[in-house]
Amino acid sequence: MGRGSALHPTDPVTRLRGIGPRLEAGLGAVGIHRVLDLLLHVPRRYEDRTQTVRIVDVPAGREPILIRGVVRRLNVRRRGRRGRGLVQAEIVDASGALPVAWFNQTWLAQQLRRSPEVYLYGELRPDPRDGQPQLVNPVVEPVDRDDPAAERIVPIYGKLGPLSGRRLRRTIESALSALDDLVDPLSPDLRLSLGLPGLGETLRQLHHPNAPVSGSERQSWIESLGTLSTPAHRRLAFDELLGLAGSVTRLRSLRRQQQAPPCRSRRRLDELIRLPFELTGAQVRVARQIRDDLMRPFPMARLLQGDVGSGKTVIAAMAAVAVLQNGYQVAVMAPTELLAEQHHRSFRGLLAGTPHEPLLLTGSCGVAERRRILARLCSNAPELVIGTHALVQEGVAFERLGLVVVDEQHRFGVAQRQALVEKGEGPHLLVMTATPIPRSLALTAYGDLDLAVLDELPPGRRPVRTVVRRRSDSDRLWRFVAREVADGGRVYVVFPLIDASGGLEAESLHENLEDMERRLSGARIGVLHGRMKRSEQEGVYEAFRQGRVQVLLSTTVIEVGVDVREATVMIIESPQRFGLSQLHQLRGRVGRGARQAWCVLLVDEGMSAMATQRMQAFCSTDDGFRLAEADLRLRGPGEMAGLRQWGADGLRFASIFRDHDLLELCRSVATRLQEAGKLEETLVRLAELYPAARDVPGY
Ligand code: ADP
Ligand code: MG
């Protein structure tokens, strides 16, 4: 190194040879500042270059071989620019000579002239002219440079900012000495009990693997390296998942240390409000759970999961009344104004027999109205306010917030839900979602909450029938719609776009409006989308509810929560534009009454095979869980809000799908650390090492 003291993991990258201010800036732009950041950039795959082959012994097969020799008889034929053309040569060792050809890499010629002694690593293929074997496009590693790439298992890196994979290999090799000074975030005891290697050793193995010498062991070792499943890989995945599981555990335990507003209720929750129907068995069970939660000394933190239409709203209403009766305030947050308004209506109905009158706070409240509501929330009175994310805005303060209800949680992040919770002093929390969360995700994204499930639909519902129809062949569909409407039914037609968009192959509402009006001339058509004024939206929705509008052309503003019993047909245009869970939500808008309901996916010819497969999956089941799992597999966890806030969609080393067992392990380890009073410091040390983890709430 020649620059004084030993290299330390937290030193800036400029301490490494060849990294000056320019490269420093380029690396900084991709989040690499310290030597350690570079060391955490692990190889994508490995190549086994441990055995050189003598040219006389070159095998007939096509597997890659490594030859060490001198390149001679270079012949370059350039064709155009950018290295196009052919380089031919031969490589010679003590045993013989072998022809070599490189296509479209004419820059190699100069490098080979400068340092002709090389390792070549590549495949043999017959020369098309004479059938003789030749090496084609082999990787070139000069023998005389101190590149750590020859005669060993070679790590292959992806490009990182301004550094090519090969340059990176050399730079990282020169940085390995910093590992001597690395402090392991896991204690030796813990590591030993879990059989995990130390972090320094882990990174050294990943960047400079040393295979065991013995034959069979060696082979399986090389294979696990190839599938990135060595103990070293597991160690990094463990650290990452421990950061996640640990911060969830921490949040949970912080909550349990808080003093909850005591909310006793001697009566059953369903006796507190006037119910227009009998509760389902599942609703009774969940109501009892929540009543027990509310009586504990620490705040409730419940995730209520129930498929669309399972009746979550009354559960929230019952919990709200229990809290109001104890003199505390309640805030109910919904993702859209439409849904907030609908909840406001439902709550008003359900609470009609109580002294409580719900308030409604959304972005379209007038100034005076807003001021009136804020004043009441600042008072000592047990108020119930329903609203959108307007509730978490600055200036909204509660005097006695006792319960926070977050509806359709998947539309919010952990951060937003925390923001509302923090407007009180340890209020109870009820989070509701219709998007079933696969178990592995539930453990991470919602692991700080206790789960309750509504696994029963109210009686008298018939499953929605789902079919695929072609746009080119939709006359029968529209005749069916006309009949359905004449029969008193109501129909949604959902578009992915409001207006035509040049780049996207998807139907838009406005492009289709005229056509619809012509085809359904007997029906009253309304239009609803997010660019309309709030009052207009509300007017149209109200008209649809009352039947003055029979066919509602809309965008996904109606996706969540909207509840119109008479709606029997849901037509989805360009369904391939939506995720499966989203389609499931849309389908859940119909089939709420006793009549047979339909969901129609209206597709174009020439949908991709993948899309066709997804649509078939959707038609074949109305099990929201299976759809969510499928969605997750097909689209990845990035689509699930909540996960992003935990950093779980940015996992670098672990996979929520592959590493279930590891995640479970991390959860129990986190609990153990918590009990031993060591979780906090472990999280801090993990966050120092893995900077991405710092953005996670609760960390
Ligand atoms: P979600 O779980 O999707 O939020 P809602 O709470 O909106 O479902 O309920 C869907 C519909 O079912 C509403 O019209 C509601 O009044 C009705 N409902 C809820 N519980 C019952 C029940 N036990 N019996 C009959 N209808 C019910
Ligand atoms: Mg709902």
Side-chain angles (χ1 to χ4, degrees):
M1 190 90 346
R3 292 201 204 179
S5 61
L7 192 63
H8 193 269
T10 55
D11 285 346
V13 283
T14 44
R15 282 214 54 200
L16 298 169
R17 185 171 47 196
I19 310 281
R22 276 258 309 274
L23 285 179
E24 182 190 23
L27 285 170
V30 291
I32 306 288
H33 305 282
R34 311 164 303 169
V35 171
L36 177 62
D37 300 333
L38 212 50
L39 289 170
L40 287 171
H41 184 73
V42 303
R44 261 206 317 232
R45 60 186 181 87
Y46 296 84
E47 280 175 9
D48 183 4
R49 300 186 195 162
T50 47
Q51 320 283 345
T52 53
V53 177
R54 296 196 316 154
I55 287 172
V56 277
D57 299 331
V58 160
R62 270 201 167 191
E63 70 276 22
I65 53 170
L66 179 69
I67 293 175
R68 178 178 175 158
V70 176
V71 171
R72 293 193 321 203
R73 301 168 91 159
L74 265 172
N75 176 14
V76 188
R77 260 178 285 157
R78 285 180 217 281
R79 224 181 308 114
R81 305 184 327 178
R82 292 172 158 261
R84 295 189 62 80
L86 176 65
V87 177
Q88 283 174 305
E90 65 179 26
I91 178 149
V92 183
D93 71 5
S95 74
L98 188 69
V100 194
W102 287 275
F103 294 95
N104 300 332
Q105 305 174 58
T106 54
W107 61 81
L108 281 175
Q110 203 186 355
Q111 181 191 330
L112 289 165
R113 275 196 197 98
R114 242 186 294 127
S115 35
E117 192 183 3
V118 291
Y119 292 99
L120 296 185
Y121 179 80
E123 285 177 16
L124 282 176
R125 291 199 208 136
D127 183 329
R129 285 163 310 180
D130 56 11
Q132 289 303 305
Q134 68 172 352
L135 260 180
V136 178
N137 288 338
V139 178
V140 182
E141 306 283 0
V143 168
D144 56 351
R145 272 196 240 160
D146 67 0
D147 186 297
E151 290 193 48
R152 67 179 184 94
I153 293 183
V154 179
I156 308 293
Y157 297 87
K159 184 173 151 49
L160 179 62
L163 293 187
S164 71
R166 195 183 303 183
R167 177 113 186 241
L168 203 53
R169 182 161 63 223
R170 229 169 290 150
T171 311
I172 288 179
E173 180 81 7
S174 78
L176 289 179
S177 68
L179 292 175
D180 299 341
D181 264 353
L182 187 65
V183 179
D184 200 309
L186 306 184
S187 72
D189 287 357
L190 183 58
R191 265 175 6 233
L192 216 61
S193 72
L194 298 170
L196 292 169
L199 186 57
E201 184 194 336
T202 289
L203 292 174
R204 209 181 293 277
Q205 273 294 341
L206 291 174
H207 293 299
H208 197 128
N210 284 316
V213 218
S214 93
S216 67
E217 208 182 317
R218 182 185 167 79
Q219 202 46 46
S220 73
W221 187 85
I222 288 175
E223 269 162 30
S224 60
L225 199 60
T227 54
L228 308 181
S229 54
T230 64
H233 289 102
R234 193 172 155 85
R235 166 64 207 263
L236 290 183
F238 179 89
D239 281 14
E240 202 164 44
L241 293 176
L242 183 62
L244 265 172
S247 42
V248 170
T249 304
R250 185 170 167 272
L251 193 56
R252 187 187 176 90
S253 102
L254 284 179
R255 196 175 281 129
R256 293 194 166 214
Q257 289 161 26
Q258 281 174 323
Q259 189 71 41
C263 293
R264 326 212 139 265
S265 105
R266 248 177 288 117
R267 293 199 288 165
R268 293 209 323 258
L269 290 191
D270 56 312
E271 294 168 346
L272 299 179
I273 57 176
R274 189 175 298 157
L275 287 169
F277 39 66
E278 285 230 4
L279 293 181
T280 64
Q283 284 170 323
V284 170
R285 193 187 66 232
V286 168
R288 206 177 298 135
Q289 277 175 327
I290 290 179
R291 173 169 170 254
D292 292 346
D293 285 347
L294 293 176
M295 294 207 272
R296 297 221 170 80
F298 55 85
M300 160 171 88
R302 275 256 169 221
L303 174 64
L304 174 57
Q305 188 174 290
D307 211 343
V308 282
S310 58
K312 295 183 289 295
T313 314
V314 281
I315 300 282
M318 291 188 285
V321 176
V323 171
L324 292 167
Q325 286 194 338
N326 280 276
Y328 288 93
Q329 299 171 329
V330 177
V332 179
M333 181 161 72
T336 62
E337 294 202 5
L338 217 53
L339 186 51
E341 278 154 14
Q342 182 184 284
H343 276 336
H344 186 239
R345 248 191 323 267
S346 316
F347 272 72
R348 215 163 41 198
L350 290 165
L351 271 58
T354 74
H356 306 286
E357 174 74 14
L359 305 168
L360 178 65
L361 182 67
T362 66
S364 39
C365 275
V367 180
E369 173 69 355
R370 186 179 143 88
R371 199 174 300 141
R372 185 182 73 89
I373 292 174
L374 295 190
R376 287 178 62 173
L377 298 181
C378 284
S379 79
N380 226 341
E383 300 287 358
L384 164 63
V385 64
I386 295 167
T388 54
H389 55 268
L391 288 172
V392 293
Q393 276 163 3
E394 234 174 286
V396 182
F398 295 84
E399 175 63 26
R400 294 169 64 78
L401 186 57
L403 170 68
V404 165
V405 179
V406 179
D407 193 20
E408 307 293 351
Q409 159 74 25
H410 65 285
R411 288 291 203 90
F412 294 106
V414 180
Q416 265 166 318
R417 137 190 143 197
Q418 270 315 97
L420 187 52
V421 164
E422 274 156 26
K423 294 205 179 258
E425 285 161 35
H428 297 288
L429 172 65
L430 176 63
V431 161
M432 309 199 289
T433 184
T435 301
I437 304 153
R439 186 171 155 68
S440 53
L441 294 189
L443 289 177
T444 32
Y446 303 100
D448 61 320
L449 308 175
D450 299 314
L451 186 64
V453 183
L454 283 181
D455 50 7
E456 185 184 346
L457 291 181
R461 303 256 173 96
R462 280 203 265 170
V464 179
R465 288 208 198 141
T466 308
V467 293
V468 177
R469 292 285 177 268
R470 288 182 191 287
R471 282 181 68 78
S472 57
D473 183 23
S474 58
D475 289 352
R476 262 184 51 206
L477 171 65
W478 300 117
R479 282 202 299 275
F480 163 70
V481 166
R483 270 202 313 278
E484 193 70 11
V485 164
D487 237 20
R490 254 157 262 166
V491 177
Y492 295 102
V493 187
V494 173
F495 293 86
L497 300 173
I498 302 175
D499 288 305
S501 149
L504 295 174
E505 273 183 37
E507 294 301 320
S508 76
L509 197 162
H510 283 147
E511 272 178 304
N512 280 278
L513 184 52
E514 237 174 71
D515 188 44
M516 293 277 175
E517 281 170 340
R518 189 173 47 73
R519 282 170 183 275
L520 299 170
S521 53
R524 296 185 294 274
I525 295 181
V527 167
L528 180 63
H529 59 72
R531 285 213 312 260
M532 286 160 54
K533 273 218 222 74
R534 282 300 317 155
S535 52
E536 281 171 16
Q537 282 187 45
E538 180 59 13
V540 173
Y541 178 56
E542 193 56 32
F544 185 64
R545 277 176 12 100
Q546 294 173 0
R548 281 180 284 119
V549 162
Q550 298 163 304
V551 179
L552 186 63
L553 272 52
S554 113
T555 57
T556 52
V557 285
I558 57 121
E559 177 187 336
V560 286
V562 166
D563 184 30
V564 176
R565 273 173 170 271
E566 294 76 8
T568 49
V569 184
M570 165 63 68
I571 298 172
I572 305 173
E573 297 262 7
S574 304
Q576 74 278 5
R577 307 289 314 174
F578 301 107
L580 291 179
S581 292
Q582 210 176 1
L583 290 173
H584 185 61
Q585 288 277 340
L586 287 169
R587 178 165 59 186
R589 295 310 117 216
V590 295
R592 304 193 151 218
R595 258 168 73 170
Q596 178 60 56
W598 294 84
C599 175
V600 184
L601 306 178
L602 204 47
V603 303
D604 275 312
E605 325 280 315
M607 205 167 51
S608 75
M610 160 91 153
T612 308
Q613 200 188 334
R614 282 176 52 219
M615 295 313 120
Q616 277 163 0
F618 181 67
C619 291
S620 69
T621 180
D622 61 356
D623 182 335
F625 255 103
R626 286 176 48 192
L627 288 172
E629 293 266 11
D631 218 14
L632 206 58
R633 268 199 316 278
L634 294 167
R635 311 214 312 169
E639 295 294 326
M640 296 205 81
L643 271 189
R644 188 160 298 146
Q645 279 77 9
W646 289 116
D649 66 334
L651 291 176
R652 285 167 66 190
F653 308 117
S655 149
I656 312 203
F657 307 111
R658 193 190 54 206
D659 300 321
H660 283 245
D661 61 323
L662 209 52
L663 189 53
E664 291 276 358
L665 177 65
C666 286
R667 277 169 47 88
S668 71
V669 168
T671 310
R672 248 160 62 200
L673 288 170
Q674 172 76 42
E675 281 160 5
K678 289 188 182 148
L679 180 59
E680 197 76 36
E681 60 182 281
T682 308
L683 286 177
V684 169
R685 274 191 268 142
L686 284 170
E688 273 164 18
L689 278 175
Y690 306 99
R694 280 191 217 126
D695 301 332
V696 172
Y699 227 115

